[in-house]
Amino acid sequence: MAATDRTALGPLVGAIDQGTSSSRFLVFNAKTAELLSHHQVEIEQKFPKEGWVEQDPKEILNSVYECVERTCEKLKQLNINLSNIKAIGVTNQRETTVVWDKTTGEPLYNAIVWLDLRTQSTVERLLKKVPGKNKSFSKFKTGLPLSTYFSAVKLRWLLDNVEEIKKAVNDGRAMFGTIDSWLIWVCICGKNGGIHCTDVTNASRTMLFNIHSLEWDLELCQFFDIPMEILPKVRSSSEIYGLMKICPSLKSGALTGVPISGCLGDQSAALVGQMCFQDGQAKNTYGTGCFLLCNTGQKSVFSEHGLITTIAYKLGRDKPVCYALEGSVAIAGAVVRWLRDNLGIAKSSQEVEKLAAEVGTSYGVYFVPAFSGLYAPYWEPSARGIICGLTQFTNKNHIAFAALEAVCFQTREILDAMNKDCGIPLSQLQVDGGMTNNKILMQLQADILCIPVVKPSMPETTALGAAMAAGAAEGVGVWSLNPGDLTAVTCERFEPQINPEESEYRYARWKKAVMKSMGWETTEAPSNGKPK
């Protein structure tokens, strides 16, 4: 678009996209869904002990402020008036748990990230209270199995182990939230009258929320022994929560007074951004983890094959709630980051793709990246990562290829489960997320699924979904979600190129490797504190 056209852009909508590995701020044209500008800052993940994953809530907040500031600078360079930004949406890594002091505005501990495994002993202790130790005891209330993955057990651990948090709860100073709650509370005045809220999609990932009554569940709060007064108020995914407040001396200070009016957990946001509004439409997002969601409309469907039931969205206070079946894979992009940061076999994600491309095969190597146990469809916390099929011929290229293949095999497992639960196999897979820029991965995925993979040319669908929810909110009304008004998206298509027999053979070998990864870890540690 030429610079002279910039003044006639019409309304714009911003989106804060706070993910596991980075924060971004993106600005879209509400009429065309065109991405006009964005900025990204990588976030440090802390691993203080084996299996522990933490982030600094202040670093997360500052990274968001930096992204907003830099994006505003870029918009000014493009001669775009910041007053055109009519709303801001928030989308976030789900389950990650923060507790802060409402009087000082300070976090009381690092955020415990969704991938964190420290709560395995907490899970086992809680399971002893359940008849038959049934992990799915709350499935029909929450849609979720009892797992280290969800927020309730992380919060229970914090209450058990952090004196400052115990004291703050007793003094009535503590606030709990997922990342969306923390950001919204701070961005709308913080300790000077911040709004303590979350949306239904994020609430549905805590294991404390009844996905039918759309309320915090008293029985579950009693089961986990969580005081209900520290929980945020649950709102819809599209309504004005409050007005943005930023230091006036900053360029982004111009956004002070702009409504924050959209909030969706990242996977729900991607479902909206991919325009999967019809019952049966599905998308797979490749980020730190991998998440396949299928819209089941206004009825909640409960899986018989290891998937979870979650809230897809509720796009307005008076709008109906829609549900989704979800297949969650813990490690996808994280395996590429691990090859880069831990093994040092590549300096960048692009280099991992290049290494894999040079060989075009894993040469019989299979990599199961169960760094945080296995999520769907197994829900097996005792699994750990393995690489098998190694020979003297194996080199780093084969391992890079096997790592990419692992992402595709894990997707195949959750897609198979989804097809069984839905009864109607998907004829193609809509994909998004950072890893979809990797063409080798996308072709591999089509080959392993034996169906076409379809990638939108604008891959930022998670942020787009948050922007759509914010722009469509009552009182903002700059983005129409009527099917006839939604912009048609141009896509790149990857067709399967290998015969199904070869695909099935490789998949069967992968399943064999998965079986070998299980039952590895126990929580009964020897006296030196190191796991067995």
Side-chain angles (χ1 to χ4, degrees), residues 370-497:
F371 302 156
S372 294
L374 289 167
Y375 285 9
Y378 301 102
W379 298 105
E380 187 46 76
S382 70
R384 286 294 177 274
I386 61 165
I387 302 175
C388 48
L390 298 172
T391 67
Q392 281 183 309
F393 182 71
T394 307
N395 61 32
K396 63 181 180 180
N397 300 69
H398 300 121
I399 289 169
F401 194 94
L404 297 184
E405 233 177 6
V407 175
C408 302
F409 285 133
Q410 290 181 108
T411 298
R412 165 84 189 258
E413 290 191 306
I414 53 177
L415 187 71
D416 283 358
M418 189 80 73
N419 287 340
K420 284 175 193 161
D421 278 324
C422 295
I424 306 161
L426 288 179
S427 56
Q428 62 178 36
L429 184 66
Q430 285 178 237
V431 300
D432 58 74
M435 285 190 92
T436 60
N437 293 324
N438 184 326
K439 287 192 174 357
I440 297 230
L441 180 74
M442 292 296 95
Q443 186 56 55
L444 257 178
Q445 189 66 88
D447 290 345
I448 286 165
L449 296 180
C450 304
I451 58 172
V453 167
V454 180
K455 174 199 161 192
S457 51
M458 199 288 290
E460 302 292 354
T461 49
T462 300
L464 177 62
M468 288 164 68
E474 189 182 336
V476 178
V478 297
W479 204 309
S480 169
L481 298 183
N482 295 330
D485 297 332
L486 295 172
T487 316
V489 180
T490 54
C491 292
E492 192 174 354
R493 200 174 163 89
F494 297 84
E495 299 283 348
Q497 290 179 355

Side-chain angles (χ1 to χ4, degrees), residues 55-102:
Q55 289 176 334
D56 177 354
K58 295 292 284 279
E59 185 196 343
I60 288 173
L61 181 64
N62 290 333
S63 72
V64 167
Y65 280 147
E66 185 182 341
C67 290
V68 172
E69 180 70 3
R70 296 287 163 266
T71 304
C72 288
E73 284 173 5
K74 291 174 186 178
L75 289 171
K76 287 196 163 179
Q77 286 163 11
L78 293 166
N79 295 324
I80 294 173
N81 193 328
L82 297 183
S83 66
N84 286 344
I85 298 175
K86 303 301 180 191
I88 291 166
V90 174
T91 181
N92 56 290
Q93 51 170 314
R94 304 169 304 170
E95 299 95 19
T96 296
T97 298
V98 189
V99 179
W100 67 95
D101 185 322
K102 66 183 177 192

Side-chain angles (χ1 to χ4, degrees), residues 322-364:
C322 287
Y323 297 91
L325 268 179
E326 173 174 323
S328 328
V329 167
I331 303 293
V335 75
V336 174
R337 193 167 171 165
W338 182 82
L339 290 175
R340 183 192 76 184
D341 297 349
N342 293 40
L343 288 199
I345 71 168
K347 291 190 177 67
S348 66
S349 305
Q350 291 74 21
E351 202 179 321
V352 172
E353 181 178 6
K354 190 162 163 278
L355 287 171
E358 283 167 6
V359 285
T361 173
S362 69
Y363 209 81

Side-chain angles (χ1 to χ4, degrees), residues 140-168:
F140 295 107
K141 268 189 182 181
T142 65
L144 313 174
L146 183 56
S147 162
T148 58
Y149 180 20
F150 307 109
S151 311
V153 289
K154 300 179 195 301
L155 182 51
R156 183 65 260 149
W157 187 92
L158 287 166
L159 292 166
D160 288 337
N161 292 281
V162 182
E163 279 304 322
E164 246 189 297
I165 288 179
K166 276 189 231 180
K167 188 169 182 337

Side-chain angles (χ1 to χ4, degrees), residues 297-318:
Q298 291 178 44
K299 68 176 191 301
S300 49
V301 174
F302 294 95
S303 173
E304 298 298 319
H305 302 95
L307 303 181
I308 59 182
T309 305
T310 199
I311 292 181
Y313 49 78
K314 185 181 191 295
L315 294 172
R317 250 180 288 204
D318 305 321

